[in-house]
């Protein structure tokens, strides 16, 4: 009986250590030097309010690195190449639906319950996470110093 208990305990410890290894680790350095990282809030076209997140590199991005996504403002967005040195990602501001509030509960019938989603990363307002691929491996780099610049 002791043998089964020790095997069970060993199994539980092995499983718990496996799940600890699955946690995503941030890279401490990006493989190429960034010139600036900033975001701008503004109106894009006439319909949507957007936040544009820019990354500028000192030298053209190496061909072995592929920028995939940016996680910012509790959203994720693909990265688009403007030039070999400049990249942008667009985030739409989420519109909240109007709620009907009334002392008569029957008039509040059409209200929808809010959808609460757990975001992949816990970030401050000036932080973002850059997801990139290098040599067929996915890495995450945390950007901590993104500044807001006024729209030109």
């Amino acid at each position: 009986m002791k043998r089964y208990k020790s095997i069970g305990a060993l199994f539980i410890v092995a499983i718990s250590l496996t799940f600890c290894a699955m946690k995503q680790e941030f890279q401490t350095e990006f493989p190429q030097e960034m010139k600036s990282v900033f975001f701008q809030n503004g109106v894009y076209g006439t319909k949507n309010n957007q936040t544009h997140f820019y990354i500028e590199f000192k030298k053209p991005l190496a061909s072995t690195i592929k920028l995939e996504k940016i996680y910012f403002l509790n959203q994720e967005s693909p990265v688009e190449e403007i030039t070999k040195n400049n990249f942008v990602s667009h985030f739409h501001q989420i519109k909240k639906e109007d709620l009907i509030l009334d002392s008569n509960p029957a008039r509040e019938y059409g209200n929808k319950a809010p959808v609460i989603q757990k975001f992949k990363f816990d970030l401050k307002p000036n932080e973002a996470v850059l997801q990139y691929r290098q040599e067929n491996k996915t890495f995450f780099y945390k950007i901590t110093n993104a500044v807001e610049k006024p729209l030109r």
Side-chain angles (χ1 to χ4, degrees), residues 41-145:
N41 293 315
V43 177
Y44 181 76
T46 57
K47 297 180 182 177
N48 300 326
N49 287 333
Q50 286 190 344
T51 299
H52 312 284
F53 194 93
Y54 295 92
I55 300 175
E56 297 177 342
F57 294 98
K58 288 191 175 185
K59 296 179 182 176
L61 189 65
S63 61
T64 59
I65 302 171
K66 169 81 169 92
L67 304 183
E68 293 182 332
K69 293 181 185 178
I70 294 180
Y71 299 89
F72 183 62
L73 300 175
N74 291 336
Q75 297 179 42
E76 64 180 77
S77 178
V79 178
E80 300 172 12
E81 181 178 327
I82 300 171
T83 65
K84 295 287 184 189
N85 295 32
N86 300 321
F87 296 84
V88 67
S89 191
H90 306 286
F91 296 91
H92 300 279
Q93 292 182 356
I94 300 169
K95 291 183 179 180
K96 295 182 180 179
E97 291 189 30
D98 289 337
L99 294 176
I100 300 169
L101 301 177
D102 198 285
S103 59
N104 181 358
R107 291 188 181 163
E108 295 181 3
Y109 174 71
N111 291 341
K112 295 179 183 175
V115 178
I116 300 172
Q117 292 180 323
K118 176 78 172 122
F119 189 59
K120 196 170 188 175
F121 303 103
D122 186 27
L123 301 172
K124 295 177 184 172
N126 67 336
E127 292 180 338
V129 173
L130 174 61
Q131 177 181 331
Y132 66 96
R133 291 187 67 80
Q134 186 175 22
E135 299 173 6
N136 293 328
K137 292 183 183 178
T138 300
F139 297 99
F140 295 92
Y141 174 70
K142 188 172 186 178
I143 300 169
T144 57
N145 56 352

